[in-house]
Amino acid sequence: MNTKKLAALAAGVTLVMGLAACGGDGAGGSGGGGGGTEGGGETTTEGGGTVGVAMPTQSSERWIADGANVKEQLEALGYQVDLQYAEDDIPTQVNQIDNMITQGVDALIIASIDGTALTNQLESAAENGIPVIAYDRLIRDSENVDYYTTFDNYKVGQQQATSLLVGLGLLNEDESEGDATGPFNIELFAGSPDDNNATFFFNGAMDVLQPLIDGGTLVVKSGQTDFNTVATLRWDPATAQSRMENLLTSTYSDGSRVDAVLSPYDGLSIGIIGALTGTGYASDDLPIISGQDAEVGSVKSILAGEQFATIYKDTRELAAATVELVDTLLKGETPEGLDTTTYDNGVKIVPSIQLTPYIIYTDNVQELLVDSGYWTAEELGI
Ligand code: BGC
C-alpha cells in the first residue's frame, strides 16, 4: 500500500492555514462566519465516494462552522457528503450513524456527543470496511476508531488557566511575572464528563492553577475542585449559570468577591456572566473569566471588557487536516507521521493529528481573528 505524509504534518500549521485560506471563507465556511447548513442534514450529489459527517449540535457556532467547512472542502475534492447534526441527543446520533452505514458511506467523520455510546455502530463500520475518524472529540473504549484529528487539548486547558493569571495580573501577556500578589478567589468549571476533551482541558488548567492554589495565591472558596463536582453535562450554559448562582449564594453572600472563574467554553462563560450580573456584579466589574472557541458573541464580550479571554481553534484548519486524511485513506494510501503516543482511548492508542490553539485577548483579536479572515470586523462590530 502507498504511504502519504500528510501535508498538515509535513508542513505544519502554515500549510493547512494556506489550504483553508484558499476557500476565502470565514469560520462558517462559504456564506461567512456562523452560517452553515440549515436543518438536520443535507446530502449532496457530485463526485466520487460518499463521506458521512456526524456532528453533535447546532446550538454552538463552532460545530456549525466545522460541519460547513468539512462539507465544503470534501465537496471541492469531488466527494458526496452526508452531514448530520444530532442536537446533543445520543439516540439521534446513533441513528444517524446507523443510517450512514446502511447507505454505504465510504468513510465516517464523527464528532461524538458521548464518546462511549457508539460501540455497536463502530463495530458495524469496521465489518463494512468503513474507516472512522474521530473529529475533535476522541471516541473511547472501542478498537474501531482509526484516526483522531483534534487540537492540543491539554494545551487548551493550560492556556485557559494562563489567561486567568494574566487577567489577575499574576502574569503578563508574554507570560513574564506580573505585579499582582493575591490572594484571589477563584471558582472552577469543567466541560461535559462524557466528552474526553473535558478532562484534558481541566487537567491542563489544573496543571497551571494547582501550584498557586497550594501556595495560597489562589483560593477556591467553595472548596469545589474535583472534576466530577465542577463538570457541566452536555456543556449546557444553563447548568453552568445555575451552578454559578448556587456558588454565589452558598459561598459569596458574606460580601466576598469572586476574582476569577475558569470556564472551559464560551457558551458556559455566557451562563456564568449571566449569573454574576444577575447577582449584582456590574458588567464592567466582572471577575476574570476564560472561555473557548472564539464565538462571535464572546469575542464581542471580550472587546466590551466582560469576558477576559477565549481560546481560538481554527476550525478551518481542523476541517482541512481531516479532509486531507480522509482523501488519503480513500485513495488507498496510508497516512504517515501521525502522533501515536498521546491519545489512548482505553483500548488502544488512536493515531492523531493535533493542531495548535491560541489565546485571544482584546489586543490580538484583530491579528488572529480578523486578519486571518476567521471573523470579519463587521461580524465583530468593530
Ligand atoms: C470542543 C470545544 C467545545 C466543546 C463544547 C469540545 O469537545 O473541543 O471546542 O467548546 O466541546 O462544544
Side-chain angles (χ1 to χ4, degrees), residues 328-340:
T328 303
L329 296 171
L330 293 184
K331 281 179 175 153
E333 296 168 348
T334 304
E336 272 194 331
L338 280 70
D339 174 329
T340 51

Side-chain angles (χ1 to χ4, degrees), residues 56-57 59-60 62-63 66 88 112 135-138 148 150-151 153 156 160 191-192 195-198 201 234-235 264-268 291-293 295 311 313 315:
T57 177
S59 68
S60 154
R62 83 145 282 187
W63 299 113
D66 283 280
D88 274 337
S112 56
Y135 185 91
D136 195 64
R137 296 175 171 176
L138 184 60
Y148 178 37
T150 191
F151 292 84
N153 292 311
V156 168
Q160 287 168 334
S192 193
D195 179 346
N196 191 60
N197 288 349
F201 301 149
R234 297 284 121 72
W235 301 92
Y265 156 53
D266 286 347
L268 301 193
Q292 174 169 206
D293 291 343
E295 300 209 324
I311 307 300
K313 303 191 302 189
T315 51

